[in-house]
Amino acid sequence: MTLDLYYEPVLLHLGQHIHRLVVHYVLKSIKQSRILIPAVLATIILSSGLSVQIPQAAAASQDESGSGASQGQWLTGEFHAHTFESDDAQSSLESVLDNALTKYGYDFIMLADHLRSSGRDDTGAAIPSGPIPLSQGLLDYQVPKTKALQAEGKYAGKTIFSGFEWDIPSHEHGSVGILTDEPGSDAALKAANQFEYLFTNRDASWFNPQDVAQWEETDDRAYSTHADSLTAINWLQKNYPQTSYFIVNHPSRGVGKYKVSDFRDFNNTAPTVAFGLEGMIGNQMEPDRGGYNTSYDPANPTANDNYKYRSYGGADYMVAKVGGLWDSLLGEGRKFWNFANSDYHFKTIDGNSSGYWPGEYAKNYIWTDGRSTQDILDGMRSGKSFSVFGDLINALDFHVGDNGTDAEMGESLQATEGDDLTVTIKFKSPETNNYENPINSGISGEMKPVVDHIDLISGDVTAPAVKGTPAYDKDTNDSTHVVATFTSEDWTTDADGYNVITFDLPRASKDQYFRLRGTNLGMNVPGETENGNPLIDLKTTTADATARFNDINNRNYQDLWFYSNPIFVDTAAYSDEQAVADTLGTLSLGDTSAVTANIPLPAEGEHGTAITWEETADPANKFTIEDGIAKVVRPSAGSSNASVTLKATATRGETSDSKTFTLTIKARSASPTTDQPGTPTTEQPGTPATEQPGTPETSVSVDIDPAQGAEGSLTDVIDFKLPAGAVSASGTIGARIVPTDKQPALGNLHALSPLVEMTSSTGKTFGKPAQLTFNYALNSAAPGSQPAVYYYNETLKKWVFLGGTANGKTITVNVKHFTTFGVFSYVPQTFADLQTSWAKSYADRLIGMGVVSGYENGQFRPDQPVTRAEWVKLLADSLGLQTASSETSFADDSSIPSWAKGPVKAAADAGYVTGFSEHGDSVFRASQQITRAEIAVMAARVLNAAGTASSGEGKAFTDAASIPAWAAGAVSQSVSASIINGYPDNSFRPDGTLTRAEAVKVIYTLLDALNI
């Protein structure tokens, strides 16, 4: 059986599973010691977003080994739910957490009780001394209770954070959280206490006099005007720029609470703190959906502006309106995001209803690097997120691509004017959602959410509006429009159940953004949609309370929406004249001095430039142009070579220019060659091979210019292309079919193409990847297999899997070294939990190489931690180290699993692993989780041994002081070689551990750096 990254005994696997329940982390205050925390306390630390982060055990004095690839994952949660500590809420802390995290499956919740006087504890009992500031209530009740519940074993693996909802001076409400370096700690809660004193009208006597005296030394109280709101937000930006957030809640719930200039002020004042709004509002169980109860005239909704203060498909008008306020902010390139929330106070009580439980109806999907509160905040700030009502979808992959590069939600794609742009959308919906019928019965309504259509929305991006100008007060974006609407007729469903849409956009011509919205409703549903746009949500007025609750519930689940955050496209100006000049400057047909084969003629040049071809001189009629191919008729044996002149005309816009090429069509040889069919011919080096009439060419050689690159082909065998800058000196590159009697042993591999040896007079490795495209015979592949490119490693004397992208009867790979290549039949392993992982492309190659596999139940488990034994075996197998079964020299050899001893010994003999010093002995610590610092050291040793390590100078991390001295140089080398990356906050986190997904990426990038 195959388990984990490779074979390991079942008992070991079970032991590691149990071991994961006992977290291997220590408190930062336990300096540099390796201590196992008792299981219950460890679980608290792992799952809580409160006072304890998840620091790792500090590395001992001299070891090695971290992954720059962060553990990417989608987490669900929200930041706006209330408990009894809000005087208008009616649920205990424990019931909110039970429903949010256990019943409805949230991964995280950021609570937001009102930052007002609080008269009850977390259970609803009156506070004996009377009302206290909410910030004090968090310190006295909410946070200790959360920790106590987690200590009992509840909410394992979940993240809980106590923020608050602030009455923004002169405006409405906003969710605020102050994490500091230790979310939920006494210091963090004291910061919330300070915020409440400074920026609310609480009586000063409610606060510690010593604190008040200290606070007033640096700040004045400010809690009345819009200017005061900016003072408060600036305080967050100044003191907690990366560890706090401020998000506007239900912005249009009251008339005139906000102008677009207010949002611009917020974002300008605190760009890393004020980065979003609750556009998909909570309180969805209100008769007026979302509690948006502003009166308007249904017969003439636009008689005044009151229609802007109603909800539309459950969303705020600011977000629901195409070209509305949100689009006006995005049109300035602002990284300002939309989120959903429950705004939970209670669901139904007596004749009243308010909102669904957190996670029951509204969800945010946030892409994060980890599960800590800071990781989640970083994910929210990144904009890689989407928000959903009623589980309409539960997965979304949204990209805009430009010729091999792409960007996703929250990111900016750097394009050049004229580039081809493509949108890719992949989404899923669950089998059922949380719809109950009747409501609160626990009886599922068996509703399967189905997307009717998805709108791709785009708007132009211009410079940020300047305060004091009319643009600063403009709350619309006139350029925003629906680019395309996709229905089920426009998407296909792949093997993993994802609905897949690809759409070609117009060529890049300006700065833009693209966002998505989708719904279960048709384009024109009476009372619900008009031309695909949501209409005003009508109030549910059923008299009987029970019937009204069910009507509201039905209304909501019949009207489902999701919204994505945008992708920006930044387009660099590129004139028609420049495009034409660059196209002709780089246009090449390769070596045209002795042409023997057909030549593909490029039809497109730089950034949308069209190329047309015509013959201008061909007296011997040896050349025709058909379907973009220059077809060659070689003069017969004994005849003279033929000369042909081709003219290429490059056109973009109104600009055109031309370039001519003179080609010499080589006559066939006067006498047959002596080579057997399938072997190279004997013509002079640097010229295409000659062959008997009708015999396909078996080798080719073309010149390469460092400034222009080179390309060539063997007809029906291989096309190759080296980009400009791939080599530093002029020379030649060649391709030849390897004769059968000269081929390396294939073993069990089944060839789908001839074996091709690629050579270069400039050396075997390149500064930029070469592109190789092979033809292969699909019908010769085994059932269930697919083609894959392999290369022959002369040192290891084995074929090494590369993979490639197959397209019909060709397959393409990018390589940075030349050797012998072939296309072989390959039966891939597939793992359901790897298909949506960010690490799939990295794992696929290692799976193909046979150095990583999954579990016997068909899972890969990408998020599972990796031990030192597992890592070293993966490293040794990937590098092809010769393993032995003898014992290692480590003092704890008996604790190293038998499946790992050979690889550990091989890695130690190679100098890649040295172990830890303990009581005068060297120990390996096989079951200990590998750290990022240790990985860096091992990777640097491998690079140094191969002579490929760089200096690594110039990379500074914010936590550089925490990188152990024994690892500092290796970290610099590994980061410089792109083996390991830092985190978005520019930290390295040397004590961070490694997951299986991270492990395969590190190995993949290491092999790439080594040209393996």
Side-chain angles (χ1 to χ4, degrees):
M1 63 188 140
T2 58
L3 296 178
D4 210 313
L5 296 169
Y6 26 72
Y7 169 78
E8 67 180 85
V10 173
L11 288 178
L12 176 65
H13 167 63
L14 293 176
Q16 289 175 338
H17 175 72
I18 295 170
H19 190 52
R20 289 197 300 274
L21 299 180
V22 183
V23 184
H24 317 296
Y25 308 118
V26 294
L27 298 174
K28 285 185 176 179
S29 59
I30 305 177
K31 297 182 179 179
Q32 305 300 313
S33 59
R34 295 183 179 271
I35 301 174
L36 287 178
I37 300 175
V40 172
L41 178 57
T43 302
I44 300 170
I45 295 172
L46 178 64
S47 61
S48 176
L50 294 171
S51 62
V52 185
Q53 288 187 307
I54 313 177
Q56 314 301 324
S61 59
Q62 58 169 12
D63 203 57
E64 56 263 311
S65 286
S67 148
S70 53
Q71 179 194 341
Q73 62 206 315
W74 288 107
L75 300 182
T76 60
E78 66 165 271
F79 50 83
H80 187 188
H82 297 263
T83 73
F84 272 133
E85 291 193 56
S86 292
D87 287 346
D88 56 353
Q90 303 300 322
S91 295
S92 69
L93 169 67
E94 187 170 7
S95 66
V96 170
L97 297 180
D98 283 347
N99 280 277
L101 303 175
T102 303
K103 183 174 181 178
Y104 296 112
Y106 263 174
D107 298 298
F108 71 89
I109 187 166
M110 296 171 168
L111 299 166
D113 282 300
H114 290 293
L115 194 68
R116 303 169 182 164
S117 63
S118 180
R120 299 174 295 181
D121 66 12
D122 64 279
T123 68
I127 295 173
S129 60
I132 58 177
L134 183 275
S135 57
Q136 188 66 41
L138 303 183
L139 182 65
D140 291 347
Y141 301 106
Q142 191 171 104
V143 172
K145 182 59 169 288
T146 300
K147 292 180 178 179
L149 291 170
Q150 290 177 304
E152 295 170 6
K154 301 190 75 170
Y155 321 126
K158 307 291 186 175
T159 303
I160 307 166
F161 175 75
S162 290
F164 50 84
E165 185 173 30
W166 174 44
D167 296 323
I168 308 169
S170 81
H171 297 297
E172 241 265 1
H173 302 164
S175 287
V176 178
I178 304 174
L179 280 59
T180 73
D181 291 335
E182 292 189 61
S185 65
D186 287 352
L189 294 173
K190 181 59 73 174
N193 195 227
Q194 183 178 1
F195 184 95
E196 184 167 14
Y197 171 75
L198 291 173
F199 306 118
T200 74
N201 63 357
R202 300 298 90 78
D203 193 285
S205 64
W206 283 17
F207 299 86
N208 183 297
Q210 293 179 333
D211 290 337
V212 168
Q214 181 179 349
W215 296 338
E216 290 188 340
E217 287 181 3
T218 55
D219 296 290
D220 295 326
R221 301 188 75 182
Y223 48 75
S224 301
T225 66
H226 173 66
D228 292 340
S229 72
L230 299 183
T231 299
I233 296 168
N234 182 61
W235 185 87
L236 293 172
Q237 181 72 30
K238 180 177 66 175
N239 293 291
Y240 307 100
Q242 300 299 325
T243 57
S244 68
Y245 60 86
F246 160 75
I247 299 173
V248 176
N249 294 338
H250 38 70
S252 300
R253 195 170 67 175
V255 175
K257 290 295 184 180
Y258 296 98
K259 303 184 297 293
V260 69
S261 58
D262 299 328
F263 289 91
R264 292 187 169 110
D265 286 348
F266 294 155
N267 187 239
N268 289 345
T269 301
T272 66
V273 176
F275 55 79
L277 78 165
E278 178 191 311
M280 298 181 74
I281 52 181
N283 285 326
Q284 292 283 311
M285 279 299 298
E286 289 269 9
D288 281 296
R289 198 168 179 182
Y292 279 40
N293 57 11
T294 298
S295 298
Y296 72 103
D297 182 0
N300 186 14
T302 58
N304 53 43
D305 282 348
N306 283 5
Y307 68 94
K308 296 180 180 180
Y309 303 99
R310 303 289 302 188
S311 65
Y312 291 73
D316 193 289
Y317 183 77
M318 294 182 182
V319 167
K321 169 65 175 176
V322 174
L325 184 144
W326 187 35
D327 286 312
S328 74
L329 299 176
L330 299 179
E332 299 174 86
R334 292 181 186 272
K335 301 302 177 69
F336 201 78
W337 317 126
N338 168 64
F339 298 100
N341 275 298
S342 66
D343 194 3
Y344 177 79
H345 290 72
F346 62 90
K347 187 175 180 181
T348 60
I349 297 178
D350 300 325
N352 302 307
S353 59
S354 177
Y356 290 96
W357 287 103
E360 183 180 5
Y361 185 73
K363 283 188 176 72
N364 296 295
Y365 285 79
I366 312 290
W367 181 265
T368 73
D369 287 342
R371 304 183 74 94
S372 73
T373 310
Q374 184 64 55
D375 290 327
I376 293 164
L377 174 54
D378 291 342
M380 291 167 57
R381 185 182 287 120
S382 77
K384 187 174 179 180
S385 63
F386 60 97
S387 303
V388 187
F389 284 151
D391 296 299
L392 177 60
I393 62 171
N394 60 353
L396 177 65
D397 184 8
F398 171 35
H399 288 77
V400 176
D402 174 9
N403 297 319
T405 62
D406 61 16
E408 52 196 346
M409 290 175 286
E411 293 183 339
S412 295
L413 177 70
Q414 303 303 312
T416 301
E417 188 177 352
D419 283 0
D420 291 319
L421 300 177
T422 302
V423 168
T424 303
I425 304 165
K426 297 175 64 177
F427 69 95
K428 276 185 178 180
S429 296
E431 286 302 313
T432 59
N433 56 19
N434 296 318
Y435 173 65
E436 292 182 353
N437 189 15
I439 192 172
N440 299 328
S441 66
I443 301 172
S444 172
E446 302 298 329
M447 176 182 288
K448 176 178 174 57
V450 177
V451 175
D452 179 84
H453 66 272
I454 293 175
D455 291 322
L456 175 64
I457 299 169
S458 177
D460 296 348
V461 175
T462 59
V466 176
K467 192 174 180 66
T469 66
Y472 203 78
D473 296 314
K474 183 176 173 60
D475 62 0
T476 58
N477 184 339
D478 299 335
S479 69
T480 306
H481 63 289
V482 175
V483 175
T485 297
F486 308 107
T487 69
S488 58
E489 295 183 357
D490 300 302
W491 59 71
T492 58
T493 304
D494 66 15
D496 301 313
Y498 282 87
N499 300 309
V500 182
I501 302 166
T502 56
F503 178 72
D504 291 332
L505 293 165
R507 293 186 184 278
S509 62
K510 53 191 173 182
D511 293 344
Q512 298 172 275
Y513 65 89
F514 297 90
R515 63 180 179 91
L516 302 177
R517 72 176 179 191
T519 180
N520 64 334
L521 295 170
M523 295 290 290
N524 291 285
V525 177
E528 299 286 0
T529 59
E530 182 176 343
N531 297 324
N533 296 306
L535 297 176
I536 293 177
D537 293 315
L538 302 178
K539 182 175 183 177
T540 302
T541 58
T542 309
D544 178 76
T546 300
R548 183 172 66 255
F549 298 157
N550 281 291
D551 287 346
I552 292 172
N553 191 48
N554 293 338
R555 171 200 71 188
N556 295 341
Y557 275 97
Q558 290 165 8
D559 186 14
L560 303 180
W561 295 81
F562 79 83
Y563 288 80
S564 82
N565 278 313
I567 300 169
F568 294 91
V569 177
D570 299 336
T571 303
Y574 192 68
S575 68
D576 293 341
E577 292 78 6
Q578 188 66 46
V580 168
D582 288 350
T583 294
L584 296 179
T586 58
L587 185 60
S588 172
L589 296 179
D591 184 2
T592 59
S593 63
V595 177
T596 62
N598 296 340
I599 300 176
L601 300 177
E604 186 172 315
E606 298 294 323
H607 308 289
T609 303
I611 306 173
T612 57
W613 295 84
E614 59 183 307
E615 305 165 39
T616 60
D618 181 12
N621 295 319
K622 298 300 180 183
F623 210 78
T624 59
I625 299 175
E626 297 180 17
D627 298 325
I629 302 293
K631 295 191 174 181
V632 173
V633 180
R634 295 177 62 183
S636 60
S639 301
S640 299
N641 295 339
S643 181
V644 174
T645 302
L646 288 181
K647 179 182 177 182
T649 300
T651 304
R652 202 181 89 159
E654 301 299 321
T655 303
S656 292
D657 201 357
S658 300
K659 179 178 182 179
T660 59
F661 297 84
T662 299
L663 292 74
T664 299
I665 311 300
K666 190 173 179 64
R668 297 190 180 278
S669 300
S671 58
T673 66
T674 57
D675 290 324
Q676 296 296 319
T679 64
T681 60
T682 57
E683 294 198 28
Q684 295 297 315
T687 65
T690 63
E691 63 281 326
Q692 299 182 33
T695 302
E697 59 183 342
T698 57
S699 68
V700 67
S701 179
V702 300
D703 294 330
I704 181 169
D705 182 334
Q708 296 187 2
E711 54 185 283
S713 65
L714 278 172
T715 304
D716 297 328
V717 177
I718 185 174
D719 294 321
F720 52 89
K721 181 186 298 184
L722 262 73
V727 298
S728 57
S730 298
T732 60
I733 57 174
R736 78 176 185 100
I737 297 175
V738 181
T740 303
D741 61 345
K742 302 294 185 181
Q743 294 179 355
L746 302 184
N748 295 325
L749 293 173
H750 174 64
L752 305 181
S753 75
L755 305 188
V756 179
E757 180 186 26
M758 299 296 302
T759 58
S760 170
S761 65
T762 64
K764 289 188 174 182
T765 61
F766 309 108
K768 294 182 179 180
Q771 184 184 85
L772 307 180
T773 300
F774 299 85
N775 289 64
Y776 66 91
L778 181 64
N779 57 4
S780 64
S785 68
Q786 62 187 38
V789 178
Y790 289 67
Y791 80 89
Y792 190 71
N793 187 302
E794 293 285 353
T795 303
L796 302 178
K797 302 299 180 186
K798 63 183 287 189
W799 288 95
V800 178
F801 178 93
L802 282 175
T805 302
N807 182 15
K809 295 182 179 180
T810 64
I811 184 169
T812 300
V813 292
N814 292 322
V815 300
K816 291 201 295 186
H817 69 292
F818 273 177
T819 179
T820 298
F821 300 88
V823 183
F824 298 96
S825 177
Y826 162 62
V827 179
Q829 286 182 283
T830 58
F831 305 100
D833 60 346
L834 186 61
Q835 299 309 301
T836 58
S837 171
W838 60 266
K840 183 180 185 302
S841 60
Y842 306 111
D844 282 347
R845 188 188 176 201
L846 301 187
I847 293 169
M849 291 175 64
V851 298
V852 60
S853 61
Y855 287 80
E856 59 188 357
N857 64 355
Q859 291 186 324
F860 186 81
R861 301 183 185 173
D863 297 333
Q864 180 168 296
V866 175
T867 66
R868 287 172 51 79
E870 293 168 347
W871 166 259
V872 173
K873 181 161 193 320
L874 177 59
L875 178 69
D877 289 351
S878 299
L879 297 177
L881 301 183
Q882 297 299 311
T883 60
S885 58
S886 58
E887 292 186 351
T888 71
S889 61
F890 293 110
D892 58 347
D893 177 82
S894 60
S895 66
I896 300 176
S898 59
W899 50 263
K901 285 192 176 184
V904 170
K905 179 173 172 54
D909 290 346
Y912 300 154
V913 58
T914 58
F916 299 89
S917 178
E918 186 175 276
H919 306 303
D921 294 323
S922 179
V923 294
F924 179 68
R925 299 179 180 169
S927 63
Q928 183 170 290
Q929 291 181 13
I930 198 83
T931 71
R932 289 167 53 81
E934 293 166 353
I935 291 291
V937 172
M938 290 189 190
R941 288 171 180 167
V942 172
L943 295 173
N944 285 325
T948 59
S950 61
S951 65
E953 296 178 356
K955 180 65 175 180
F957 292 106
T958 56
D959 58 348
S962 67
I963 299 175
W966 52 263
V971 167
S972 294
Q973 287 182 324
S974 299
V975 170
S976 180
S978 297
I979 307 300
I980 304 173
N981 300 315
Y983 286 86
D985 63 356
N986 204 31
S987 65
F988 182 75
R989 307 180 194 178
D991 295 332
T993 55
L994 197 71
T995 66
R996 285 166 54 83
E998 295 168 343
V1000 296
K1001 182 177 188 293
V1002 173
I1003 290 294
Y1004 181 101
T1005 53
L1006 180 60
L1007 294 179
D1008 184 62
L1010 297 170
N1011 297 314
I1012 293 178

